[in-house]
């Protein structure tokens, strides 16, 4: 079988961890930050894991 191409847009947004989970960053942290609380902005800086519901799709578009 031929190799599967990686979706480059997804490759820029997600990273695979050593255990095979997929890491992502939070949205809503690039502009309009004046009215958001410091606590909320601090939480948005941190990375998070992709939910189980989305994992199947992400693993398909990031095969390697």
């Amino acid at each position: 079988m031929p190799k599967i191409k990686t979706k480059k847009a997804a490759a820029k947004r997600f990273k695979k961890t050593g255990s095979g989970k997929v890491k992502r960053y939070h949205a809503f942290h690039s502009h309009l930050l004046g009215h958001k609380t410091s606590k909320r902005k601090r939480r948005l800086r941190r990375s998070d894991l992709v939910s189980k519901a989305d994992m199947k799709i992400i693993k398909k578009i990031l095969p390697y």
Side-chain angles (χ1 to χ4, degrees), residues 1-54:
M1 292 224 14
K3 285 180 160 182
I4 303 167
K5 282 191 174 181
T6 298
K7 295 286 183 193
K8 288 303 188 178
K12 292 167 189 171
R13 289 167 173 81
F14 305 106
K15 297 278 177 260
K16 282 191 178 174
T17 64
S19 60
K21 294 175 183 167
V22 183
K23 198 167 78 165
R24 68 174 177 88
Y25 289 98
H26 286 102
F28 308 109
H29 190 61
S30 56
H31 58 95
L32 300 175
L33 300 173
H35 72 280
K36 294 172 188 164
T37 64
S38 300
K39 180 182 178 180
R40 183 175 169 192
K41 288 186 279 192
R42 206 163 42 243
R43 271 186 47 244
L44 291 173
R45 274 201 301 262
R46 298 198 314 238
S47 61
D48 200 5
L49 294 176
V50 169
S51 70
K52 231 160 93 173
D54 298 327

